[in-house]
Amino acid sequence: MPVSAAVTSIGLVVMWSSGFIGAELGTREAPADTLLMWRFLAAAAILGGAWALFRRRRLRPRALAEQAAIGALSQGGYLGGIVWAVGLGVPSGTAALIAALQPLAAGALAGRLLGETVSPRQWAGLAIGLGGVALVVQGDLSAGPTTAPAWAYGLPFAAMAALLAASFLERRARAPLAPVDAIPLHCLVSAVLFTGVALAGGHAAPPAGGGFWAAVAWTVLLSTVGGYGFYWLSLRRNGVTGTSALIYLTPPTTLVWAYAMFGDAPGWTALAGMAVCVIGVTAATVRRPVRRRPDRSARLAEEPVRDRAVPRVPAE
């Protein structure tokens, strides 16, 4: 049974935002590259094993090449850029706000690259949603100067561009794959990338504590299987613009996660930002019913044909 649009949208927002909580849980125990390495090694083993057992089939070389590039961009490029920037001292709220520019970029490019029409109402919704995200992360933005080098602020832009490029590649793929086939391949590519990074940095050895492995399990099940699974489902159902607009809801949802997990209560500004985000995303994603004009020809066809008086021909 196909997943409904509402379930896909809610699942994307909830599961995608869980990744930020998993990152905080994991980086309390180990460096970011260690967490990413073991996250994707575990995901590749679990999802790849399940695929080989239940879904094994021959994949075309073009599909393998396309999905390898999509996985390197969507997971390696996006996660690597965000985590690296935060590790260098870029405030997480600032990184989130920069990444939230993706819907505007998607709307600007969708028409030219994919032929997706972005209506004025959607543009207004995207602009409103961006304002809501700015309110949500205002605490981080007003925290004062950081020790991050200036070039580190380019990393969230690169991460946003990588995820956007992956989205366009998926929509234009000549040999598209279902998420159940594509995600294990994405995880395998990401495992290779992050293992290389961790080995180069000398951070490949995992810590012995159970907290680290709990964080790995969290990120594999909720963030990778759930978050990326719903992301690719949403791309096929809602398109690039609609899916990108839903990303606006992840910073507010992350605040709810943080309050439930760590007791971090959001302030009034953040709550106001949540409401603004909901308004913007609703305007950008909810489609108005199209009112069709009555078909005059069909109405006339349904009307009974009236008897017309036949003129009498005079007798000769």
Side-chain angles (χ1 to χ4, degrees):
M1 180 180 297
V3 182
S4 68
V7 172
T8 300
S9 301
I10 294 172
L12 169 62
V13 172
V14 173
M15 295 301 179
W16 192 269
S17 59
S18 73
F20 298 95
I21 302 301
E24 183 169 348
L25 290 172
T27 51
R28 290 179 177 182
E29 307 288 336
D33 52 354
T34 308
L35 174 65
L36 291 171
M37 168 186 167
W38 289 100
R39 166 184 174 174
F40 284 107
L41 283 175
I46 294 171
L47 296 180
W51 184 89
L53 185 61
F54 300 107
R55 182 79 177 178
R56 182 175 56 191
R57 65 190 186 95
R58 188 173 182 178
L59 301 178
R60 296 170 56 188
R62 177 183 289 274
L64 291 174
E66 289 176 342
Q67 296 303 321
I70 292 171
L73 289 168
S74 66
Q75 294 183 348
Y78 176 74
L79 289 176
I82 294 294
V83 174
W84 190 10
V86 174
L88 289 171
V90 177
S92 58
T94 304
L97 180 60
I98 294 173
L101 295 173
Q102 179 196 348
L104 291 176
L109 297 175
R112 295 182 179 181
L113 298 181
L114 300 178
E116 292 185 9
T117 302
V118 183
S119 66
R121 180 170 60 86
Q122 285 181 309
W123 278 119
L126 294 175
I128 293 171
L130 182 62
V133 173
L135 286 175
V136 169
V137 302
Q138 185 182 18
D140 269 344
L141 295 174
S142 60
T146 68
T147 59
W151 62 266
Y153 287 86
L155 293 174
F157 284 100
M160 178 267 292
L163 184 61
L164 187 60
S167 303
F168 282 115
L169 283 178
E170 197 280 335
R171 294 287 286 175
R172 296 292 296 270
R174 295 188 177 183
L177 293 179
V180 70
D181 296 316
I183 293 178
L185 182 58
H186 295 176
C187 292
L188 178 60
V189 172
S190 300
V192 173
L193 290 175
F194 288 121
T195 297
V197 172
L199 288 173
H203 300 149
F212 174 78
W213 295 111
V216 169
W218 177 287
T219 55
V220 169
L221 296 177
L222 297 182
S223 309
T224 302
V225 178
Y228 280 95
F230 279 114
Y231 184 83
W232 299 120
L233 284 175
S234 180
L235 272 182
R236 298 193 174 190
R237 183 177 293 273
N238 301 321
V240 172
T241 305
T243 299
S244 298
L246 291 171
I247 300 298
Y248 277 153
L249 295 179
T250 55
T253 308
T254 301
L255 290 184
V256 177
W257 274 110
Y259 178 68
M261 297 289 295
F262 311 122
D264 300 335
W268 288 107
T269 303
L271 293 175
M274 292 182 188
V276 174
C277 285
V278 171
I279 294 172
V281 173
T282 301
T285 58
V286 175
R287 299 176 181 177
R288 294 180 179 178
V290 179
R291 295 182 179 179
R292 297 181 178 180
R293 295 181 179 180
D295 191 344
R296 187 171 180 272
S297 60
R299 180 171 55 84
L300 292 176
E302 293 177 356
E303 291 181 356
V305 179
R306 297 179 180 178
D307 295 333
R308 298 178 181 177
V310 179
R312 294 182 180 180
V313 180
E316 295 181 355

